[in-house]
Amino acid sequence: MLPVLLALIQQLNGPLSPPGPEAAAPTPVASRTFSGRSRELATRAPRLRETVTLDGALAEPAWQQAAILTDFTSYSPVDGRPAQDSTEVRLWYAEDALYVGIRAWAPPGTVRATLAERDRISNDDWVALHLDTFLDRRRSFVFAVNAFGVQSDGMRSDVSAGPGVSRASLQAVDLSQDYVWQSKGRLLDDGFTVELRIPFKSIRYQLANTQDWGVQVVRQTQRTGYQDTWAPTSRALQAFTPQSGFLRGLTGMKRGLVLDLTPTSVTSTMGSPSADAWRYGTRGEFGGDVRWGITSNFTVNATANPDFSQVETDVGQIPGDVRFALFFPELRPFFVEGSEQFDAPNRLVNTRAIVQPLGAVKLTGKIPRTDVGLLSAIDAPTSGRDGKTSPRFNIVRLRRDLGEQSTAGLVFTDRSEGARFNRVAGFDSRLQFRNVYSVDLRWAGSMTRDSVTRTGQLWEVSTGRTGRGYGYRYNLQGFSPEFETQTGFVNRVDFVRAQVNQRYTLFGRKGGWWDQRQHFLSASALWGYDTFGNRDLPLESRVSVDNSLTIRGGWRVSATPDLQRVAFDPRRYATYAVLSPTGRDTLAFTPNSAQVTSNLAFALNTPQWRRAGATITATVGTEPEFFETSTVQRREVEAQVDLRPSSQVRIGTLLRYQRFVRARDGSVFSTQVVPRLRLEYQFSRALFLRFIGQVESRDRSALRDPRTEQPLFRRSASGTFTAQGARRSLLGRADWLVSYLPSPGTVVFLGYGTAMDASETMRPGDVQRTSDGAFVKFSYLYRVRNSAR
């Protein structure tokens, strides 16, 4: 299938190596200044033959010939005002790379900067360059730097951020993707300077001799809490990217051969206790990735035994609703690159479902106005049901641009394992009009065959408005009981949910003590799939109001009252039983009647000061308890503190305390205490030492029938009933890592991790190791070089 698609791409694009100017003359022009506030947004950067040394000084003659972007405007938390601090961004390009020079002014001693780990600069002052290289006004490459030139990069798709999250923030960017580029910064008395070099072979762009790109620059200043943009950006409009400026008339760009080889080696030793002593096993794994840019707009990637070593550990998550599985993002480089081409609604594509691939190949790119993503993989037999047959995966994602901002897409996924298979096909469309309104339509059907064949479907319709002061979104979605995806992530089926969201935003006067107030009203109702439309009361209904206040200087406080009603679906408790009054046998458990609960959540976010920042949340009230089908009183506090005693040291701490007390008799149902510590020492931009330690204490009482207070039992598949007794655990985990990462793809990791358990006595002094392991990972990115033609 891949050769056929390559041939089709060649027909649509023309020759794979399009002819360019034989010797396009440099185009030095007189220095030009483009004022964002004056809406001089059609930038023309000169093409030069100059060479520069990236040292953050902006001293070479090329920087004096560059186009200058200036006169920024505030965007968040208040838009439309002149930026409080001046910023100049200089642009020019050579035949093989784009050069960017940043000069950011600030009062002496106010710049927040650390020698941070890559992609961890969100608490620093930073500047981000957005490049919409296909000028589709829908997504952009993002290259962000702090004052020391530490990099953060990724892909930004034009989707709405959550409440309280600016659409210009790095939180709205998929930072899992890493590109090869260079940067160097200098911290000055009155601000900072940074120089960037972005090679054309590191990104994808249009297939044309002369082309225009979209360009936007965002600056985050932690002293004020403000984000500023070069092209004025209104919060009243639904999309962020279409409000960017333009980088026009790019010509004579040459990528040369784009062929990257990344061999990887991982050696690990894992140990666990046995009856008489600890036993260790050592294994080595070799693999590698290949990236081939067949044209400037299409890339083929291949991998053999892609690495997923311990160093790329999942971000620690503490379960909220224990009924549903947690989602963990993809971290393997092969699957991460170009992952935006596989974005599909409702997480119908989740490459983490490919557990231990022996090999995989994918094609990603954009034919004019059509995004293309194709992936095929073979998983290891150990990932299959019988442990002998290798699951095979095929994923196809196509998305067509409609008009200025609308899209329509198709998705198909297939996981087959011998005669077993799971296939999902879906359609989705997003229609935007009048800049503030949108309608989303989605449908997908699944077919699964194992011992029997079953089919299911999901559907969703939503409409919304995004305005500066008022916005809304109404959503209705349904998942049938038989819907299943083994290539995506859907942690709940058999429901229909209706949601209503209303947002009201007010802005403070210039120079006042507060900048923004937001009131976010949310209401939802959930029914069983087959009972929806029967005029039954919903199984779950909820109303909450998120009231947030952004105070001058970067403070943010919020208070969120929440009211919900939950009826317990008897089908979910079919395996539960309770002792009969005589105590001699068991009876089927009858869930409790519907419970009405309410709670109030508080949150406080401090500014990011030079040496610290903090977030504190607290929740009090009542909430449903799904194990016993009753109501518990909830008391929860979580505090996170980020300390930066120097530019090289970061100390992150988290403490979570949660206590549930039965409302009916005041007895303690469960307690959870989780302290977490993260220490980082950055020797240089490439070399750092990291320690992460966490302890989790859980104590849950034996489950009881809320009506009779008799013990609850559960029936196993064999028909045996087991009492759901008290559970206690005291678990710990410690991980050390030394990392040398000079650039994406080239890394050396040395790591050690150990797990500990003191659950038997619940005393820290009685802790015992339950497992440990050490590993060494090495990978090297080799870029095959040849002269650009």
Side-chain angles (χ1 to χ4, degrees):
M1 181 164 55
L2 185 59
V4 174
L5 285 174
L6 291 176
L8 176 62
I9 291 167
Q10 183 173 357
Q11 292 296 321
L12 292 172
N13 278 332
L16 288 180
S17 299
E22 290 298 324
T27 56
V29 298
S31 176
R32 289 197 57 190
T33 299
F34 298 86
S35 168
R37 285 202 297 273
S38 299
R39 305 203 66 83
E40 298 171 349
L41 306 181
T43 305
R44 288 189 177 271
R47 191 175 75 86
L48 307 176
R49 288 177 175 167
E50 305 286 343
T51 58
V52 298
T53 300
L54 293 185
D55 55 9
L58 296 174
E60 290 91 344
W63 296 112
Q64 310 311 312
Q65 301 178 62
I68 304 175
L69 314 186
T70 188
D71 290 341
F72 283 53
T73 304
S74 68
Y75 172 70
S76 178
V78 181
D79 58 350
R81 297 175 179 171
Q84 299 182 39
D85 297 312
S86 296
T87 308
E88 285 187 356
V89 176
R90 297 172 181 260
L91 298 175
W92 62 277
Y93 68 103
E95 67 177 12
D96 61 345
L98 176 69
Y99 290 82
V100 185
I102 299 167
R103 177 63 168 101
W105 282 268
T110 64
V111 175
R112 316 300 195 237
T114 58
L115 202 62
E117 183 183 351
R118 186 186 182 93
D119 288 333
R120 289 177 55 83
I121 65 172
S122 59
N123 291 337
D124 296 341
D125 286 11
W126 49 263
V127 177
L129 177 73
H130 294 235
L131 294 176
D132 177 9
T133 57
F134 287 96
L135 201 63
D136 60 12
R137 317 302 269 173
R138 288 165 174 81
R139 62 170 63 100
S140 55
F141 292 93
V142 178
F143 302 89
V145 289
N146 72 0
F148 291 137
V150 177
Q151 300 176 356
S152 184
D153 52 4
M155 177 65 64
R156 189 196 184 285
S157 297
D158 210 75
V159 295
S160 299
V165 176
S166 163
R167 288 176 290 172
S169 171
L170 292 182
Q171 293 171 270
V173 178
D174 177 9
L175 297 178
S176 63
Q177 304 200 43
D178 292 322
Y179 312 112
V180 178
W181 51 293
Q182 298 79 43
S183 60
K184 181 70 174 180
R186 290 190 178 191
L187 187 61
L188 308 175
D189 292 337
D190 59 348
F192 61 92
T193 60
V194 189
E195 294 179 352
L196 288 67
R197 179 182 181 272
I198 303 171
F200 294 136
K201 66 168 53 184
S202 293
I203 59 177
R204 296 189 304 273
Y205 51 88
Q206 308 160 49
L207 194 71
N209 292 333
T210 302
Q211 53 191 274
D212 300 334
W213 293 358
V215 62
Q216 178 65 286
V217 184
V218 181
R219 177 181 177 182
Q220 171 75 55
T221 305
Q222 300 293 353
R223 181 189 87 256
T224 62
Y226 266 66
Q227 290 172 0
D228 305 319
T229 61
W230 167 66
T233 308
S234 171
R235 300 174 63 89
L237 303 184
Q238 188 162 104
F240 177 82
T241 304
Q243 302 184 66
S244 302
F246 299 90
L247 187 55
R248 296 197 181 279
L250 296 171
T251 188
M253 301 157 61
K254 300 179 180 179
R255 304 173 87 209
L257 176 65
V258 180
L259 183 60
D260 296 345
L261 309 176
T262 310
T264 302
S265 169
V266 179
T267 303
S268 60
T269 300
M270 306 298 294
S272 59
S274 61
D276 53 351
W278 275 73
R279 298 191 181 275
Y280 287 89
T282 300
R283 70 174 186 175
E285 295 183 350
F286 298 91
D289 299 339
V290 178
R291 171 179 175 263
W292 174 36
I294 54 177
T295 65
S296 65
N297 61 336
F298 268 91
T299 302
V300 171
N301 297 77
T303 187
N305 193 25
D307 169 58
F308 195 37
S309 61
Q310 291 177 340
V311 68
E312 287 90 12
T313 52
D314 293 313
V315 178
Q317 298 189 48
I318 302 173
D321 193 330
V322 295
R323 296 174 295 166
F324 308 116
L326 296 174
F327 175 78
F328 290 93
E330 180 62 85
L331 299 173
R332 294 166 290 186
F334 167 80
F335 293 103
V336 164
E337 183 179 353
S339 58
E340 76 280 356
Q341 301 299 110
F342 295 94
D343 285 345
N346 308 106
R347 288 179 176 160
L348 293 181
V349 175
N350 174 36
T351 53
R352 285 288 292 264
I354 309 172
V355 182
Q356 296 176 311
L358 301 176
V361 62
K362 68 178 179 180
L363 171 73
T364 55
K366 190 178 183 78
I367 299 171
R369 303 190 68 80
T370 302
D371 293 294
V372 177
L374 168 67
L375 188 150
S376 295
I378 302 177
D379 219 345
T382 53
S383 302
R385 291 192 178 186
D386 59 8
K388 301 177 181 179
T389 305
S390 290
R392 297 174 179 269
F393 293 81
N394 287 290
I395 302 172
V396 177
R397 175 63 169 156
L398 303 174
R399 183 166 41 204
R400 178 72 174 177
D401 298 343
L402 305 176
E404 294 185 359
Q405 278 297 292
S406 300
T407 60
L410 298 173
V411 61
F412 173 78
T413 67
D414 171 53
R415 181 189 188 274
S416 60
E417 182 183 337
R420 300 186 181 97
F421 66 79
N422 169 254
R423 293 168 185 157
V424 177
F427 165 82
D428 58 275
S429 179
R430 180 175 179 82
L431 307 176
Q432 294 192 21
F433 48 96
R434 297 181 61 183
N435 292 324
V436 297
Y437 296 97
S438 66
V439 174
D440 292 79
L441 303 172
R442 301 166 184 173
W443 180 89
S446 69
M447 176 179 289
T448 306
R449 176 186 294 170
D450 35 43
S451 57
V452 297
T453 300
R454 57 190 183 276
T455 60
Q457 64 177 344
L458 73 82
W459 48 266
E460 183 172 359
V461 58
S462 66
T463 182
R465 177 189 187 275
T466 300
R468 188 172 190 267
Y470 170 69
Y472 65 78
R473 179 152 292 278
Y474 306 137
N475 178 272
L476 183 67
Q477 65 176 176
F479 286 73
S480 71
E482 299 297 329
F483 181 82
E484 183 177 353
T485 171
Q486 297 176 10
T487 314
F489 181 84
V490 173
N491 63 357
R492 184 174 190 174
V493 296
D494 191 12
F495 72 88
V496 173
R497 178 190 288 120
Q499 294 176 297
V500 175
N501 298 294
Q502 303 275 347
R503 175 186 54 81
Y504 301 90
T505 305
L506 298 92
F507 300 94
R509 63 178 179 82
K510 186 175 182 180
W513 66 274
W514 64 276
D515 290 318
Q516 183 192 106
R517 279 173 46 200
Q518 182 167 276
H519 306 280
F520 197 89
L521 171 66
S522 300
S524 64
L526 183 142
W527 295 264
Y529 191 83
D530 294 330
T531 61
F532 177 68
N534 293 344
R535 298 185 179 180
D536 296 336
L537 287 174
L539 289 173
E540 301 174 20
S541 54
R542 187 170 194 166
V543 177
S544 66
V545 184
D546 183 346
N547 304 284
S548 63
L549 177 65
T550 302
I551 302 173
R552 185 178 182 184
W555 292 85
R556 188 173 185 271
V557 296
S558 67
T560 307
D562 179 283
L563 176 67
Q564 61 178 320
R565 176 190 178 275
V566 173
F568 304 99
D569 188 346
R571 295 174 299 174
R572 311 303 181 195
Y573 299 89
T575 60
Y576 278 60
V578 65
L579 284 176
S580 67
T582 64
R584 296 179 180 177
D585 56 3
T586 59
L587 300 175
F589 171 67
T590 301
N592 206 353
S593 57
Q595 305 289 294
V596 177
T597 63
S598 63
N599 59 55
L600 181 62
F602 299 92
L604 170 66
N605 296 76
T606 72
Q608 290 299 325
W609 296 300
R610 284 180 60 82
R611 302 302 181 195
T615 300
I616 301 173
T617 60
T619 304
V620 296
T622 59
E623 73 171 34
E625 200 297 296
F626 287 92
F627 287 109
E628 293 184 341
T629 67
S630 61
T631 295
V632 291
Q633 295 176 348
R634 177 182 180 182
R635 302 290 185 272
E636 182 177 322
V637 177
E638 181 172 302
Q640 298 183 60
V641 180
D642 181 26
L643 302 175
R644 300 176 289 274
S646 75
S647 63
Q648 294 175 273
V649 178
R650 285 192 174 203
I651 304 173
T653 62
L654 177 146
L655 177 62
R656 180 177 186 179
Y657 172 80
Q658 185 184 76
R659 187 178 180 88
F660 291 154
V661 176
R662 293 183 176 93
R664 62 183 185 271
D665 60 10
S667 60
V668 176
F669 176 77
S670 68
T671 304
Q672 180 191 51
V673 181
V674 181
R676 181 184 296 157
L677 175 67
R678 179 183 178 119
L679 301 175
E680 296 177 0
Y681 184 80
Q682 201 84 23
F683 297 94
S684 66
R685 280 179 55 181
L687 180 64
F688 75 85
L689 170 68
R690 181 176 73 198
F691 167 79
I692 300 177
Q694 176 176 303
V695 176
E696 182 176 8
S697 172
R698 288 179 178 266
D699 190 344
R700 195 199 72 187
S701 67
L703 300 186
R704 310 196 306 254
D705 182 348
R707 290 191 175 92
T708 66
E709 301 302 334
Q710 293 293 320
L712 284 179
F713 293 78
R714 291 198 71 176
R715 185 180 67 249
S716 66
S718 63
T720 303
F721 286 94
T722 304
Q724 301 298 290
R727 295 183 179 181
R728 300 192 307 171
S729 63
L730 179 58
L731 306 175
R733 176 85 197 174
D735 291 280
W736 295 84
L737 175 70
V738 176
S739 169
Y740 177 68
L741 199 160
S743 66
T746 300
V747 295
V748 178
F749 291 136
L750 304 175
Y752 170 78
T754 182
M756 296 155 283
D757 192 343
S759 301
E760 186 172 345
T761 65
M762 296 296 288
R763 292 197 297 263
D766 297 332
V767 67
Q768 295 183 352
R769 282 188 305 146
T770 57
S771 67
D772 69 352
F775 66 91
V776 178
K777 171 184 173 180
F778 170 79
S779 70
Y780 178 76
L781 172 63
Y782 174 69
R783 308 202 102 172
V784 178
R785 300 181 183 276
N786 77 329
S787 58
R789 297 189 302 272

